[in-house]
């Protein structure tokens, strides 16, 4: 009874600030609505002990309760995320608990490899169920804003290849090559030699098969290899959605390795997620804590200023920076729609716990990008002090083959 009284008191306090399209259904059948709106989200609380998650509604607490099955939540993922953030803002801020916890992790080769495999080696079929046909698991590029996901992902690759001024006969290294989408298109469209490296066994196997199916074995090599073990010299280097795994303290060494692998007049491009918090304390309401535990173990986000400084420390000169935050918000929203549209099939490809993790994670990322908690930058760079061979203006970056069909 006391816990129900606390719940009612908390509900009244929240409703005094904001209308939330939420219904809470208790173990005894009692229902509490948080507004006069038709509920978009329904939370079922199976026993009194689970009320503690609602009464301290951080993104970690409620996300963890949902993932672990301590509460049941019905509704679209985007609505679930919006409701949770509204509850957190109405409750935690007034208590002075705008949590921004972040950890600095110890990175070793073994831990990095294990973290990558935890995230990416769910199954290739799992990712195929909600990614575009080329299986590009990174921010798409919406040139006009109305492209479908497959078109926007193809344009992302073409945008990157135009930015690095890729030319026939060059050697390209793709760090964190995923399922080989960029490597394959680079070889097909530009006739370059490509080496792609990944730590994911599933990605490695499928990427090699896709290269074989495309008949590109003479141009594209896919290795199961740590980028730190790559040798040789490359005219161009791309790293798309990988450096979030490196660790903030290791960024200088990471960019130093890229510099070591670049030819004297080489060009590199780093495409990655950053935090917008200048103190690098993570996202509000313990959203980062949820991601560290359930999604990206040991993942760390640096601020753009930290990235630029680390590039300089690694011997690289920044030559172009583009913010694609809005593009990633839209990408994650489309992934979420695909995930929910294919929920029945995805449910057969993984266990219920992991299904719930991804259900809220994708929508949560879209929300975080929309609200400028995190961002996405493409940074073009080359060896510091060198003589850039890039065009004098940015015109080539936007006059490239963005509309070219595969």
């Amino acid at each position: 009874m006391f816990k129900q009284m606390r719940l009612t008191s908390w509900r009244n306090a929240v409703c005094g600030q904001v209308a939330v399209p939420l219904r809470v259904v208790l173990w005894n059948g009692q229902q509490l609505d948080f507004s006069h709106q038709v509920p978009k989200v329904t939370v079922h609380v199976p026993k009194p002990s689970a009320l503690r998650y609602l009464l301290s509604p951080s993104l970690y607490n409620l996300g963890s309760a949902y993932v672990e099955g301590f509460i049941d939540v019905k509704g679209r993922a985007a609505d679930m995320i919006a409701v949770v953030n509204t509850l957190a803002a109405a409750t935690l801020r007034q208590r002075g608990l705008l949590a921004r916890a972040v950890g600095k992790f110890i990175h070793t080769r073994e831990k990095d490899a294990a973290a990558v495999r935890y995230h990416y080696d769910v199954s290739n079929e799992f990712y195929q169920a909600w990614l575009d046909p080329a299986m590009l698991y990174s921010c798409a590029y919406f040139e006009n804003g109305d492209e479908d996901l497959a078109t926007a992902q193809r344009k992302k690759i073409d945008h990157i290849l135009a930015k690095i001024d890729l030319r026939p006969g060059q050697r390209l290294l793709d760090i964190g090559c995923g399922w080989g989408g960029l490597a394959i298109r680079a070889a097909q469209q530009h006739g370059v030699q490509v080496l792609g490296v990944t730590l994911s066994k599933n990605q490695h196997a499928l990427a090699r098969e896709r290269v074989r199916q495309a008949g590109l074995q003479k141009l594209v090599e896919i290795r199961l290899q740590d980028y730190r073990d790559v040798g040789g010299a490359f005219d161009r280097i791309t790293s798309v959605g990988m450096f979030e795994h490196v660790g903030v303290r290791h960024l200088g060494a990471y960019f130093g390795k890229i510099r070591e692998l670049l030819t004297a007049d080489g060009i590199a491009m780093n495409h990655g997620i950053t935090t917008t918090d200048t103190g690098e304390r993570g996202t509000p309401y313990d959203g980062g804590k949820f991601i560290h535990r359930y999604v990206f173990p040991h993942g760390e986000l640096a601020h753009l200023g930290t990235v630029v400084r680390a590039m300089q420390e690694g011997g690289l000169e920044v030559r172009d920076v583009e913010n694609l935050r809005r593009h990633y918000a839209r990408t994650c929203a489309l992934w979420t729609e695909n995930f929910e549209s294919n929920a029945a099939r995805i449910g057969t490809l993984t266990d219920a716990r992991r299904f719930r993790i991804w259900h809220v994670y994708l929508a949560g990322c879209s929300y975080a990008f929309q609200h400028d908690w995190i961002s996405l930058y493409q940074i073009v760079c080359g060896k510091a002090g060198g003589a850039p061979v890039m065009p004098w203006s940015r015109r080539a970056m936007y006059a490239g083959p963005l509309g070219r069909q595969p």
Side-chain angles (χ1 to χ4, degrees):
M1 179 64 71
F2 175 69
K3 289 183 177 180
Q4 289 180 249
M5 292 174 61
R6 284 189 62 196
L7 176 64
T8 300
S9 176
W10 171 67
R11 189 275 305 266
N12 293 340
V14 170
C15 292
Q17 301 176 62
V18 62
V20 187
L22 168 67
R23 171 172 292 164
V24 174
V25 181
L26 303 183
W27 57 93
N28 58 9
Q30 181 183 356
Q31 296 185 3
L32 291 87
D33 287 345
F34 283 62
S35 74
H36 295 297
Q37 306 173 35
V38 176
K40 293 183 178 179
V41 176
T42 299
V43 175
H44 294 266
V45 183
K47 53 187 177 180
S49 61
L51 283 178
R52 62 190 177 93
Y53 298 105
L54 278 173
L55 296 174
S56 185
S58 69
L59 302 187
Y60 176 78
N61 280 346
L62 285 177
S64 178
Y66 172 61
V67 166
E68 302 296 350
F70 299 137
I71 61 175
D72 186 36
V73 186
K74 301 297 182 184
R76 293 176 58 250
D79 294 329
M80 291 162 59
I81 294 297
V83 163
V84 170
N85 276 282
T86 301
L87 293 178
T91 305
L92 303 183
R93 187 172 296 162
Q94 67 185 15
R95 299 180 189 170
L97 296 175
L98 182 62
R100 281 183 174 273
V102 67
K104 299 296 184 183
F105 302 102
I106 296 174
H107 287 262
T108 66
R109 290 171 181 257
E110 294 75 17
K111 288 183 177 180
D112 290 346
V116 167
R117 289 166 186 163
Y118 168 83
H119 185 85
Y120 295 100
D121 286 352
V122 181
S123 75
N124 291 330
E125 293 77 14
F126 171 82
Y127 284 97
Q128 285 171 331
W130 51 274
L131 292 177
D132 68 293
M135 295 185 70
L136 295 168
Y137 182 38
S138 54
C139 176
Y141 181 73
F142 297 88
E143 184 184 11
N144 303 308
D146 58 357
E147 292 89 346
D148 60 33
L149 182 60
T151 300
Q153 288 290 17
R154 173 174 50 78
K155 287 187 174 184
K156 179 265 299 294
I157 292 181
D158 288 343
H159 192 42
I160 290 172
L161 300 183
K163 280 187 173 188
I164 62 174
D165 193 24
L166 190 63
R167 301 178 184 183
Q170 292 181 330
R171 292 195 71 208
L172 168 66
L173 169 65
D174 188 24
I175 300 174
C177 65
W179 290 276
L182 186 148
I184 290 170
R185 187 157 179 85
Q188 288 175 331
Q189 299 295 315
H190 298 273
V192 295
Q193 292 283 336
V194 187
L195 171 62
V197 295
T198 178
L199 292 176
S200 164
K201 293 180 180 178
N202 285 359
Q203 288 184 339
H204 174 253
L206 183 56
R208 283 171 56 88
E209 174 59 22
R210 295 176 69 199
V211 168
R212 187 194 65 78
Q213 291 176 354
L216 294 171
Q217 299 96 315
K218 293 184 179 180
L219 290 178
V220 180
E221 178 186 2
I222 305 294
R223 293 181 190 167
L224 186 65
Q225 184 178 35
D226 192 301
Y227 76 95
R228 288 165 286 197
D229 295 328
V230 175
F234 298 86
D235 304 288
R236 302 292 186 263
I237 297 177
T238 53
S239 177
V240 181
M242 177 274 172
F243 96 130
E244 299 89 339
H245 297 281
V246 169
V248 174
R249 293 192 183 101
H250 302 279
L251 288 178
Y254 163 75
F255 290 121
K257 180 62 177 180
I258 289 177
R259 183 189 186 281
E260 174 191 322
L261 294 170
L262 271 180
T263 59
D265 57 354
I267 300 172
M269 194 236 45
N270 191 83
H271 166 124
I273 303 171
T274 62
T275 178
T276 58
D277 182 76
T278 56
E280 295 177 343
R281 295 163 294 181
T283 54
Y285 315 125
D286 271 349
K289 184 178 178 181
F290 177 87
I291 291 175
H292 292 154
R293 176 175 177 183
Y294 291 106
V295 186
F296 278 113
H298 305 297
E300 295 180 43
L301 300 185
H303 186 269
L304 174 63
T306 300
V307 178
V308 171
R309 183 176 66 246
M311 279 189 167
Q312 195 73 55
E313 291 171 350
L316 296 172
E317 173 194 36
V318 173
R319 297 177 182 169
D320 186 82
V321 179
E322 184 174 12
N323 183 330
L324 296 182
R325 177 178 65 82
R326 289 189 305 161
H327 297 252
Y328 219 164
R330 180 165 175 76
T331 302
C332 290
L334 292 175
W335 283 341
T336 304
E337 291 177 11
N338 288 348
F339 192 94
E340 293 184 326
S341 296
N342 294 286
R345 177 168 179 246
I346 293 171
T348 68
L349 298 173
T350 189
D351 58 82
R353 184 175 181 270
R354 195 181 293 271
F355 178 96
R356 290 191 291 264
I357 290 172
W358 284 88
H359 188 209
V360 294
Y361 163 65
L362 294 173
C365 285
S366 182
Y367 186 97
F369 282 113
Q370 288 171 11
H371 291 80
D372 196 28
W373 292 355
I374 53 178
S375 194
L376 187 288
Y377 286 94
Q378 289 185 345
I379 306 178
V380 179
C381 56
K383 286 190 172 182
V389 295
M390 297 175 65
W392 284 93
S393 76
R394 289 180 170 182
R395 184 176 296 114
M397 295 184 183
Y398 300 98
L402 290 179
R404 182 187 299 169
Q405 296 298 315

